[in-house]
Amino acid sequence: METGWWIALGVVVLLALVAAYVDGTGRLRRRPRDGAAGRPPGGTAPPRPGELWRGAAGGPEGAALWLVLGTGADAVRAAPVTSAHVAGEAGRVTEGAVRAAGVRSVPLGELRERAGAVDAAVWDRVRHLAD
């Protein structure tokens, strides 16, 4: 073989090694620091806007039920739901149950379990609180 073929083969092998190195380091950076990043305890699915979650620590007036308005990496923006306005099961919440004055950032660690979702009509009336 001529010398030119060996040089071309060396360049191809060098490019393959560089591509494998770059791909490997890119995959390592995408891995979360801990296995449960973005999830509440217990391995449940992360909260989504419009869902009701039971919290460990209550909000204003001892509200232990939260309406998720928006999500973040470590916390959610949520409004407390007063139990006086919850009709029957947790998924049947009236607009008066959502306290706009109590909207705050709730760490994912405080959310224990999904309690349901609000009706579409109620969500349309309270979704402005996420802003």
Side-chain angles (χ1 to χ4, degrees), residues 10-105:
V11 169
V12 168
V13 169
L14 182 64
L15 285 174
L17 289 173
V18 168
Y21 175 76
V22 169
D23 183 49
T25 56
R27 289 176 191 257
L28 290 176
R29 279 190 218 126
R30 281 185 249 144
R31 187 174 300 150
R33 284 178 280 197
D34 58 349
R39 292 177 178 258
T44 59
R48 294 182 300 192
E51 291 183 341
L52 294 168
W53 280 73
R54 295 192 198 288
E61 300 174 9
L65 196 59
W66 296 92
L67 170 61
V68 177
L69 300 170
T71 59
D74 299 343
V76 297
R77 186 157 173 78
V81 176
T82 58
S83 59
H85 292 89
V86 178
E89 63 187 55
R92 306 296 297 171
V93 173
T94 64
E95 184 180 357
V98 179
R99 296 185 42 92
V103 174
R104 70 176 178 102
S105 180

